Amino acid sequence: MWKRSILAGTALALALGLSIAARAAERPNIILIVLDDVGFSDLGPFGSEIRTPNIDALARDGLRYNRFDTKAVCTPTRAALLTGRNPQTVRMADLPADKPDPANMTKDRGELPVNAQTVAQVLRASGYRTYGFGKWHLGPEYEDGTEGNNGSWPLQRGFDQFYGFYLGWTDQYRPKLIEGNRSLPDAPLPPDYHFSADIVDHTISALGKGDQEKPAFVYLAFGAAHSPIQAPRAYIDHYAGVYDQGWDALREQRLARMKAMGILPQNTVLPPRNAGDRAWDSLTPTEKKVFARFMEVYAGFIEHTDAQIGRLVAHLKQTGQYDNTLIMLMSDNGAASEAGQNGFFERMYRPNTLTPEQMLARIDELGTEKTQSEYPRPWAMAGVTPFRRYKVWPYLGGVRAPMIVSWPKAIRDGGNIRGQYVDAVDIAPTLVDAAGTRFPDKMAGQAEIPVAGSSIRTSFTQANAPDVRDAQYFELRGNRAIRVGDWRAVALHRPGTPFDSDCWELFNLAEDFSESRNLAGQHPEKLAELKQRWWREAGQYSQPAIAEMRERFARRERFDPADAQAACASSGQGEGK
């Protein structure tokens, strides 16, 4: 009798083990790839001349989303991506604090609360192995990883392993690295070392041969293409002469390709060059040569990143994991404009005091370990074709980003374009839905902050799936926007002036994909409706609803006053009303 009981128990255990293994085999691996400061039109599947054959292949197997919106700057977007909440709700409305004020529980605290589980925490609790490789930038700067000073480090936010960098950027040849809960000492690196290749090596190692009992979640956050723009010379040289035509011609060429491939409606209008950005024809011959080389370096940086993604995909295919791996690839905001009209040459975030002639004499140093450079701002204007402005701004040039979803086992109409409105808050709910789980309402007896996003998984198989939400609000550094249906309203704020004096612009995105025509004067009732909705949404998701940008950003951000004046004039609102 006891033998039969043992045999029965053994059979049951085996059956349960096989059932668990079967369920694990059914659940997909999940890889969330986040590029940094890559504009809407900077990838091949979105109309770029930059060679991205491996990302192109993901798009052919999967779907491109042409209405994916971010929070216009890295940390708020990443907070939304990983938690499914609006960044204001999780007190990360802007970049992390140096050291949070214990009394500050507002949207600008700069530290994620403990009752906002990340997607990594949810997936780990449901049986996933969880890995993070690359950029973090979701914790206060004072935290050093030691016990009591690591609450915002990745291992305390759901990751089994993390290898990458903690702050907002790093040198691609000499990165400041962390692993687990410790900072790694600086050490000599191989002559051909590059951070992008390093983190993909770690990803491949973590994924293994596909024979693990648990599926894997990987958050792969490249430093590319955030400055410093650095890439091997061979990749840079692929673009010799490509950008001699300049940024104005590049915008027109990308627009035409985007229309031809269906990323843009045929009636999309290219807005005029941004105020303050120089016409290419106004540059001197020396400036043209130097500035073209900046863009060659940027393009090489992206192509090199694509090659690393190609190595990862090749590994998935070789180990039989590709078909049941959900890959979501996106950028965290629009192309970056921080370097102004002349770019950064020697070091980031420092005034470029070199003359064009001096830069030309050192032009071969661009992209190497000798410089930490960033391209001039008008290249960012080209990067976000067909939109206005760039990273940090509330227009779609700052907010709209490319997104690709690949999951061969689930997606049957690969190569197509989806037009649903998707926000960064929708990504984490989609990932946990694909894994067959959900965000908890409570953890350890404490209520969780409600998730704002919704899963877009239905759109993977239904081209005409409805939008998951009728409205999405936006706020960053006092600037505001809201989309309700196909209408979008935008307000630029002049620091130090009353918020009720901000002038709003109104766009009908169904007829004007690029926000080229301000309809505020023609539809004042609709504008009033959207403004009221903004306050309602902000009141729900942010405390306070609006505030002046913190001083540390006010010192370095310069939103052109001419834009606010133009908004007032074109809206018929009059300045100061």
Side-chain angles (χ1 to χ4, degrees):
M1 181 72 172
W2 63 271
K3 289 183 178 179
R4 287 199 300 270
S5 298
I6 290 173
L7 289 171
T10 301
L12 177 61
L14 287 170
L16 287 172
L18 289 172
S19 176
I20 291 170
R23 286 201 303 272
E26 291 170 2
R27 293 194 296 171
N29 285 333
I30 298 172
I31 302 177
L32 176 60
I33 301 176
V34 180
L35 305 177
D36 203 338
D37 290 358
V38 172
F40 183 70
S41 69
D42 274 337
L43 302 178
F46 283 79
S48 182
E49 71 295 332
I50 299 173
R51 301 182 185 117
T52 55
N54 299 291
I55 294 174
D56 296 357
L58 287 177
R60 284 195 300 272
D61 287 347
L63 303 167
R64 287 167 288 170
Y65 286 76
N66 66 354
R67 289 183 172 89
F68 168 65
D69 291 340
T70 71
K71 306 305 176 183
V73 73
C74 53
T75 297
T77 294
R78 292 160 198 269
L81 287 175
L82 294 185
T83 71
R85 286 96 168 171
N86 285 297
Q88 293 81 4
T89 309
V90 292
R91 305 172 195 149
M92 201 67 88
D94 211 312
L95 303 187
D98 293 333
K99 187 170 186 178
D101 176 355
N104 182 359
M105 304 302 285
T106 73
K107 68 182 183 67
D108 291 313
R109 177 181 174 86
E111 180 182 41
L112 294 174
V114 295
N115 62 332
Q117 294 273 294
T118 69
V119 63
Q121 289 169 301
V122 175
L123 290 177
R124 184 166 67 179
S126 73
Y128 272 73
R129 297 141 43 216
T130 57
Y131 306 99
F133 303 115
K135 174 175 174 173
W136 184 239
H137 208 204
L138 282 169
E141 294 188 14
Y142 84 97
E143 291 193 5
D144 61 6
T146 58
E147 187 172 353
N149 288 296
N150 61 14
S152 295
W153 279 49
L155 266 58
Q156 283 63 248
R157 296 292 174 166
F159 289 93
D160 295 328
Q161 296 179 27
F162 186 88
Y163 174 86
F165 60 98
Y166 185 70
L167 299 178
W169 64 275
T170 195
D171 192 287
Q172 298 294 300
Y173 300 118
R174 300 180 298 270
K176 297 292 185 181
L177 295 171
I178 67 170
E179 186 169 26
N181 280 329
R182 65 190 183 101
S183 297
L184 298 181
D186 294 337
L189 295 169
D192 62 347
Y193 176 89
H194 194 283
F195 180 73
S196 296
D198 189 5
I199 59 174
V200 168
D201 287 344
H202 277 76
T203 301
I204 290 171
S205 177
L207 289 170
K209 298 179 181 179
D211 54 359
Q212 292 92 335
E213 181 178 330
K214 296 179 179 181
F217 166 63
V218 177
Y219 174 50
L220 180 57
F222 285 95
H226 193 294
S227 53
I229 50 175
Q230 296 171 320
R233 179 67 179 262
Y235 288 90
I236 297 170
D237 286 348
H238 286 170
Y239 298 92
V242 171
Y243 300 107
D244 291 354
Q245 63 187 321
W247 42 67
D248 293 316
L250 184 64
R251 293 178 76 209
E252 297 283 355
Q253 292 172 1
R254 287 191 178 184
L255 180 77
R257 280 194 296 269
M258 297 168 88
K259 288 182 178 181
M261 63 175 51
I263 287 292
L264 301 180
Q266 291 300 310
N267 67 349
T268 302
V269 174
L270 191 65
R273 185 187 313 108
N274 294 321
D277 285 340
R278 300 169 67 186
W280 184 259
D281 288 345
S282 73
L283 305 183
T284 68
T286 300
E287 286 175 323
K288 288 180 179 179
K289 187 169 184 177
V290 173
F291 293 172
R293 186 61 172 179
F294 273 105
M295 187 60 188
E296 291 169 12
V297 174
Y298 177 81
F301 197 9
I302 290 181
E303 185 182 338
H304 177 261
T305 305
D306 176 82
Q308 310 318 308
I309 293 171
R311 290 198 301 118
L312 171 58
V313 172
H315 172 78
L316 292 171
K317 291 180 177 179
Q318 290 163 5
T319 54
Q321 300 181 72
Y322 179 67
D323 284 351
N324 197 28
T325 295
L326 167 58
I327 299 174
M328 298 189 79
L329 180 149
M330 64 204 62
S331 179
D332 62 349
N333 43 245
S337 63
E338 291 100 330
Q341 297 303 302
N342 295 320
F344 296 136
F345 193 95
E346 294 177 310
R347 292 289 180 267
M348 291 171 52
Y349 304 119
R350 297 182 187 177
N352 182 0
T353 60
L354 299 178
T355 66
E357 290 71 23
Q358 288 171 324
M359 287 189 282
L360 180 60
R362 298 171 57 188
I363 197 168
D364 286 340
E365 295 181 17
L366 286 174
T368 74
E369 74 284 352
K370 295 180 180 180
T371 60
Q372 292 180 335
S373 54
E374 172 69 315
Y375 60 24
R377 188 174 87 170
W379 287 124
M381 171 184 62
V384 303
T385 301
F387 304 119
R388 300 161 64 187
R389 292 303 178 180
Y390 3 64
K391 172 184 175 181
V392 177
W393 291 67
Y395 298 110
L396 289 178
V399 172
R400 187 68 50 87
M403 185 173 87
I404 296 169
V405 177
S406 173
W407 188 6
K409 185 175 179 178
I411 294 171
R412 300 303 181 192
D413 60 337
N416 281 309
I417 297 167
R418 293 291 193 259
Q420 288 85 358
Y421 289 103
V422 181
D423 189 82
V425 299
D426 300 319
I427 303 307
T430 302
L431 300 182
V432 300
D433 182 19
T437 187
R438 59 186 295 273
F439 276 87
D441 297 323
K442 288 185 178 181
M443 283 297 294
Q446 183 179 16
E448 284 280 295
I449 296 172
V451 170
S454 298
S455 173
I456 64 164
R457 185 180 176 186
T458 302
S459 70
F460 294 177
T461 55
Q462 298 178 27
N464 296 319
D467 294 330
V468 295
R469 186 173 44 263
D470 76 313
Q472 179 61 48
Y473 100 110
F474 171 92
E475 183 273 328
L476 179 65
R477 300 180 186 175
N479 294 324
R480 294 175 280 174
I482 186 164
R483 179 195 59 81
V484 179
D486 285 321
W487 290 90
R488 192 167 190 268
V490 179
L492 287 179
H493 176 67
R494 294 187 189 182
T497 65
F499 285 102
D500 60 9
S501 70
D502 294 348
C503 293
W504 288 76
E505 296 172 89
L506 178 69
F507 306 99
N508 182 348
L509 301 182
E511 300 174 358
D512 179 20
F513 191 90
S514 60
E515 294 182 325
S516 65
R517 298 184 297 277
N518 178 14
L519 302 178
Q522 296 170 242
H523 298 280
E525 301 86 359
K526 177 61 69 173
L527 179 59
E529 174 191 328
L530 265 66
K531 289 167 65 175
Q532 184 178 24
R533 184 66 180 269
W534 187 92
W535 283 107
R536 194 170 95 198
E537 297 286 316
Q540 178 179 353
Y541 292 116
S542 179
Q543 178 60 40
I546 190 72
E548 292 284 356
M549 74 173 88
R550 286 182 279 169
E551 178 59 28
R552 62 185 288 204
F553 305 122
R555 288 195 301 267
R556 79 183 196 190
E557 290 299 346
R558 292 293 180 267
F559 296 99
D560 297 339
D563 282 304
Q565 293 170 355
C568 291
S570 62
S571 301
Q573 297 169 61
E575 186 173 351
K577 296 182 181 179

